[in-house]
Amino acid sequence: MAVNTRRPAERPPAPPRRRRLVYRLRVLRHDPTAALGLILLILLAYLVVAPLVAVLSDAFRLQYGDGVHAGQQPGEWTGYYLWRVFRSQISGLLFWEPLLNTLVIAVGTTLFALVVGGGTAWLVTRTNMPGRRWLAGALVVPYMLPSWTFSLAWLSLFKNERAGGQVGFLQAQGIRTPDWLAYGALPIIVTLGLHYYPFVLLLVGNALRRIDAQLEDSARILGAPQRTVIRRIVIPLMLPALSSAVLLVVGRVLGTFGTPYVLGLPADYRVLSTGLFQAIRDRSTGVASVLTTVIVVIGVLIVLADTRMMREHRRFVTVGGRGAMDRLGDLRRWRWPAFAFGLLAFTVSVVVPVLTLLLSTVTRTPLDLSTFTLDYWIAERLPGAVGFPHGVLRGSELWEAAWNSLRIVGLASLICAIAGLLIGYVVVRGTAPRVAAFLRQVSFLPYLIPGIAFAAASLSLFAVARGPLPALYGTTFLLILVMAVTHLPYSSRSGIAAMMQLGREPEEAAQIAGASWWQRMRRIIFPIQKGALVTGVVLPFVSGLKELSIVIMLTTTGTQLLTTLSIGLVDYGYTQLANAVVLMIALISFTMTYLTQRLTKSSLASGLGG
């Protein structure tokens, strides 16, 4: 019997490229961090970078309807909108006057916030004023309220007949309130200052706590007078906090819409944010794109200036004991007057506006208790009301707006928190430094852009169909998407910090035991980082619930939110109904902030007054 002695033919070795592909697929199955990073990179590039590119393109491409004026065809590259905004006969109305008004408001608000916030910060951190611990928490409450809460309270007190509708308390009592007191620069500066001084309180207060009092004592022992101590020691050490406070307040004022709209519109007092809103409402897409670009550039320059100042001031550091840092100055006979100043700041910024709004909703004549009524809350029919003919608690408008707000803001916050933790995971655990650097920078980019400008940029990209994506304007999906991206800087920074504090050992042990990547995320990463997830959900939720600058651009009648409902009632002249809706927003915002602090066992004023 013949036996086949030939060896079987050996298989040719796999090509190197194929072996590398098989290896990468196996690695990807067990650790898809690289693929996750690529997906996040593409998404952020489209959701953050693409809107800015789109709005910049619209500023230099002729829009339909402007061909007659520009002498060009729609879609061609043009400088017509730059000329119209900066050099035309109406450029003063479109840009230069709103820019000047914006600068006036920014400077006035910053000075107001520095005086009130800086003064109270010094009292609660560096003195033995009575009630420091309570005031440290109470003085942060104004930031929990919607920014236009103060403007509506101002109207309830000082509104005159110029804006139409029911007049304010003083006018109802026969006291004529001039236009400069009822509307325009002064009331906008005061109301925005009352809202933003907690920024200064927190930043300056925490910086004051870190200054070693031994440095000041040493200077005094060497014979330095108090002015020299302040000029050569305290101010240089405080410069980083002061510069950050100033630039943050200016950046916030730049994108604020509600207060300038409520208090500036009756006197035709325009700022950049209200001018941008008016351009979009007039369908002047090219002009709106130029204004958006200007606001974005200013916002980016403000944050870059803050970063530069922080880098320059890092040389001012102190090393000292904690006991020395906590030494308090004795106010002696000024202890109670200092407490009266802090209590006055709390009363003016919290008690007066909230009480004013509440009383205005239960009185027919503003703040006149003899005309007490609950009609604005529960009446089935309000006499003379057309667009909103019943009390706020009776009809379906409030509940539909509340449901839309909770649903949209809640989903956006959840997406924001998960995306922030995933970005932190890729940045810390990933092996591609360029991808990590891109994610870190681009996820922070929305922070540099005022909210109303980013909403306008997103509207420029998503208002029309592009490729396979349909037009998203007017959909809840666009609101959820833009709100999630807008608050992504906070959750991404929280996620990166949380992942940097978590070692690789638990995940590596699970991987050795055969756990897949999804199992490791579900059973290890998410449970361990639940604190960061809770913070990443609740803080964007609280901020989004009282957000107006973003949603005013993107909502329609079918997607009414609590914030847009209140502004709509202001437009109708239904002041009491608008005040009632704002009180509901403030109640929900304060409740969620309180629950956040209880869940995370933290406080917005942690470190102050301790």
Side-chain angles (χ1 to χ4, degrees), residues 57-69:
S57 174
D58 288 343
F60 292 95
R61 284 188 181 274
L62 196 67
Q63 306 297 315
Y64 288 99
D66 295 329
V68 176
H69 304 287

Side-chain angles (χ1 to χ4, degrees), residues 161-176:
E161 70 280 354
R162 173 167 181 166
Q166 193 170 39
V167 297
F169 171 73
L170 293 180
Q171 191 85 3
Q173 300 301 315
I175 303 174
R176 175 71 171 85

Side-chain angles (χ1 to χ4, degrees), residues 290-308:
V290 173
L291 293 177
T292 301
T293 303
V294 171
I295 295 175
V296 169
V297 170
I298 296 175
V300 171
L301 290 177
I302 286 173
V303 177
L304 290 179
D306 180 45
T307 304
R308 178 67 180 271

